[in-house]
Amino acid sequence: MTYPERGATAGSLPAGYRHLRRRLLLGHGRPVLDAAAAVIMSWRMHRHAGLRLVATASGADVGATVVMCAGWGRVGVLAACRVVWVLDEDDRRGFAYGTLPDHPEVGEEAFVVERDAGNAVWLGITAFSRPNGLLPLLAGPAGRRVQDMMTSRYARVVRDATGLAER
């Protein structure tokens, strides 16, 4: 891992990083929760958001490594991460991964779907990150926009998989 605060997306986010928190209503009921969890836990969210990836496991398991590539054709940016925690409860499912060396960012990102007491199902995306190296640092606001764009893509993929867009 490239940062000391391993697992911090499950609690208070550490100082010294950019914080990102996004929450989206997906719908209501167990079928929505199950559909959203399946998309998140199987890497489909990442693939359908436009990333090419190779992973050491078919799903998000603690210790699994995933190398993602964002770009076009043979030109792209590689980002390697390792799954640091998995949540598998009756009404909450998800995982977090942390950056590995040579990732353009340093930090962690979590994806959790949960069903509340009113039966509403929510997607939560939480991250803390900062640039890793000179090039990402020079990217400045453009790098943050890319992270925001990918977060929106992830949310759209999960929302679409639950059928909310068709209602």
Side-chain angles (χ1 to χ4, degrees):
M1 307 310 298
T2 58
Y3 60 99
E5 302 90 352
R6 183 178 175 171
T9 50
S12 298
L13 300 182
Y17 296 87
R18 175 183 187 234
H19 295 170
L20 180 145
R21 291 185 191 272
R22 187 91 41 95
R23 187 169 154 99
L24 173 71
L25 177 64
L26 298 174
H28 293 81
R30 168 72 52 195
V32 173
L33 176 73
D34 292 343
V39 169
I40 289 171
M41 301 303 291
S42 67
W43 307 118
R44 280 192 345 228
M45 175 182 67
H46 292 78
R47 285 190 175 99
H48 290 221
L51 298 174
R52 298 184 305 260
L53 68 86
V54 176
T56 60
S58 61
D61 298 322
V62 172
T65 299
V66 59
V67 179
M68 298 165 281
C69 181
W72 301 271
R74 295 178 184 233
V75 178
V77 176
L78 293 177
C81 296
R82 181 158 300 131
V83 177
V84 297
W85 59 259
V86 171
L87 183 62
D88 187 11
E89 298 173 357
D90 190 45
D91 289 323
R92 295 188 323 146
R93 295 191 202 132
F95 75 96
Y97 52 41
T99 57
L100 293 173
D102 295 326
H103 190 293
E105 298 285 322
V106 170
E108 191 173 290
E109 189 166 23
F111 309 92
V112 175
V113 290
E114 63 182 318
R115 185 171 61 157
D116 67 20
N119 208 28
V121 178
W122 298 88
L123 168 65
I125 300 175
T126 304
F128 63 90
S129 63
R130 64 178 176 232
N132 182 21
L134 184 59
L135 189 57
L137 184 62
L138 292 174
R144 290 188 292 279
R145 281 194 295 277
V146 168
Q147 184 181 33
D148 290 341
M149 178 190 70
M150 288 309 302
T151 300
S152 294
R153 284 185 182 184
Y154 294 150
R156 185 179 62 245
V157 167
V158 177
R159 181 200 64 213
D160 291 351
T162 64
L164 185 62
E166 298 169 8
R167 293 183 192 149

